[in-house]
Amino acid sequence: MSRWLHFKRLIAFGLLVSMVGCASIPAGVPPSPDDPWEPFNRSVFEFNEGLDKYVLKPVVSGYRFVLPEFIREGIYNFFSNYNDIYTALNNLLQGKPDYAFNDLMRVVVNTTMGLGGLIDLATPGGLEKHKEDFGQTFGVWGIPSGPYVVLPFFGPSSVRDTFGTVADLETDYLFKYIPDVGLRNSLTGLRVVNARNTYYEAGDLLDGAAIDKYSFLRDAYIQRRKYQINEGRDDEEPQMPAYENPYE
């Protein structure tokens, strides 16, 4: 069985678990026109919350206990440098060659002088960090976002961004094309742990706040994606404290 087929079956399993009992909308929470599938989305959200609470967070706690901060920072920088390659590609597809050149220069500087990307020398050197993906590229091309949707394992998304996520994964060398299956799986696992580690404390802050966490994350995600696609022309960048794509 191919690794990609196995992963798609995991996603399907997540959907089936979520469909066993769709969550209801809490009383007093107004419906959102961007979220017509809210009961189903809330059930997937609860599945992801359980996965995070009982699997991801304990693993990340051990990760933080075992590895000192400078090593975790090096791992973060390595994957961030790798992601700059795809950011450059998406900036080029969006018609922003100057940004794409900047991103490629970041990769060159950090790979050659930053020990393969373990040290970020590009940012203090004046090369701005960007973050682009195929979902943003589709948005720049004029494809509408469609309804909000929560994906198993991946979290907040939209119909457009779901196709963007598929494109991201299909073109991701570390995720799909490394010949050594053991190495590929290990790197994927490390990426997931690294991604969760970047918002380790933010999730605790949300859990302790007197808010509807689902609605907060949904609204923050929708606003942030609009900001990213519009290049911040409308307003200040909203904060997205949790559920970044685990493969970034």
Side-chain angles (χ1 to χ4, degrees):
M1 181 188 302
S2 73
R3 183 175 174 279
W4 179 231
L5 178 59
H6 179 66
F7 187 76
K8 288 192 287 187
R9 289 185 175 181
L10 283 176
I11 294 178
F13 172 75
L15 286 171
L16 287 173
V17 171
S18 303
M19 291 173 65
V20 169
C22 287
S24 60
I25 302 174
V29 177
S32 169
D34 296 315
D35 190 6
W37 306 325
E38 184 169 348
F40 173 76
N41 284 335
R42 281 185 179 271
S43 67
V44 180
F45 174 77
E46 290 178 2
F47 169 79
N48 288 342
E49 287 285 281
L51 183 70
D52 183 72
K53 180 179 180 180
Y54 296 109
V55 179
L56 275 180
K57 192 170 182 181
V59 170
V60 174
S61 296
Y63 174 79
R64 294 169 68 90
F65 178 78
V66 171
L67 297 182
E69 184 176 358
F70 78 93
I71 294 181
R72 300 198 306 267
E73 183 178 354
I75 293 171
Y76 172 84
N77 288 337
F78 173 82
F79 287 118
S80 179
N81 181 59
Y82 171 75
N83 289 334
D84 281 343
I85 300 172
Y86 293 92
T87 291
L89 171 62
N90 278 285
N91 269 323
L92 193 62
L93 292 173
Q94 294 172 25
K96 298 182 289 188
D98 51 340
Y99 279 26
F101 179 76
N102 174 93
D103 301 326
L104 285 177
M105 288 304 299
R106 284 183 57 87
V107 175
V108 170
V109 169
N110 286 335
T111 301
T112 58
M113 294 187 286
L115 302 179
L118 296 175
I119 303 173
D120 180 8
L121 298 177
T123 300
L127 293 171
E128 184 181 359
K129 172 74 175 177
H130 304 121
K131 187 176 180 181
E132 305 287 336
D133 54 52
F134 277 101
Q136 289 170 251
T137 297
F138 294 160
V140 172
W141 289 354
I143 299 174
S145 66
Y148 176 75
V149 60
V150 181
L151 300 175
F153 309 105
F154 291 90
S157 187
S158 65
V159 172
R160 179 190 62 215
D161 287 348
T162 298
F163 285 99
T165 298
V166 172
D168 290 332
L169 295 175
E170 287 292 325
T171 57
D172 193 319
Y173 180 80
L174 292 183
F175 177 76
K176 193 172 182 183
Y177 297 106
I178 292 180
D180 189 322
V181 176
L183 175 62
R184 193 170 66 215
N185 291 342
S186 298
L187 285 173
T188 298
L190 184 59
R191 287 175 79 179
V192 172
V193 173
N194 170 70
R196 179 60 179 88
N197 182 61
T198 61
Y199 58 88
Y200 183 79
E201 296 177 352
D204 292 337
L205 292 174
L206 284 179
D207 289 335
I211 59 172
D212 176 30
K213 186 176 179 180
Y214 171 86
S215 298
F216 179 83
L217 291 175
R218 176 195 62 203
D219 296 343
Y221 178 84
I222 292 172
Q223 292 174 24
R224 183 168 181 252
R225 291 302 277 179
K226 288 179 180 178
Y227 174 90
Q228 291 173 328
I229 291 169
N230 294 330
E231 295 298 324
R233 287 189 294 269
D234 294 335
D235 46 28
E236 294 183 358
E237 180 176 10
Q239 298 300 309
M240 183 64 180
Y243 274 121
E244 293 287 352
N245 190 320
Y247 290 92
E248 294 182 356

